Amino acid sequence: MGEFMDYIMLVNKDNALDKTYVPDDLILANSNYKDGILVNKKLLEQFNLMKEDALKLGYNFDIMSGYRDYNYQEKLYNKLLKEKGFAYAFRSIAKPGFSEHQTGLA
């Protein structure tokens, strides 16, 4: 059985990360979907095991998104806010600092 992650972290609409938080264990996901995606190292190890098992059953999937720093999340949020309005943005994307993507685990 694989090694389990031992992370105690809650990030959601009520629990923010510091603006400067950057995980120290980010690595390239080597996604076929998009270049340059960074994720947590242990997450990628477990994802690759899951992907191998899925391929044996005829399923193929890949990582489409990963780590986003505070500034990038802010750009995404503000763009959606401008294009779709507050109600839509609030439902659809986390505000900067409140995104699990900033952990590298999403």
Side-chain angles (χ1 to χ4, degrees), residues 26-29 36-40 63 65-68 101 104-106:
L26 295 174
I27 61 172
L28 284 171
I37 296 174
L38 296 171
V39 295
N40 170 279
I63 294 175
S65 185
Y67 170 73
R68 297 180 191 159
H101 283 278
L105 298 168

Side-chain angles (χ1 to χ4, degrees), residues 6-80:
D6 185 23
Y7 296 101
I8 299 175
M9 183 181 301
L10 178 60
V11 181
N12 60 25
K13 290 185 182 209
D14 298 318
N15 298 284
L17 289 168
D18 186 88
K19 184 176 184 174
T20 61
Y21 177 80
V22 178
D24 60 2
D25 53 1
L26 295 174
I27 61 172
L28 284 171
N30 296 318
S31 170
N32 291 318
Y33 176 77
K34 181 178 160 187
D35 290 335
I37 296 174
L38 296 171
V39 295
N40 170 279
K41 182 181 178 182
K42 289 194 184 288
L43 174 138
L44 185 60
E45 291 169 2
Q46 296 302 308
F47 173 83
N48 286 335
L49 292 173
M50 181 176 65
K51 187 174 180 175
E52 286 175 26
D53 288 344
L55 283 170
K56 292 173 189 172
L57 299 171
Y59 299 100
N60 188 14
F61 49 86
D62 208 345
I63 294 175
M64 297 176 62
S65 185
Y67 170 73
R68 297 180 191 159
D69 68 18
Y70 182 97
N71 293 329
Y72 185 70
Q73 187 71 21
E74 186 174 47
K75 287 177 190 174
L76 290 176
Y77 182 80
N78 288 336
K79 182 176 187 242
L80 199 58

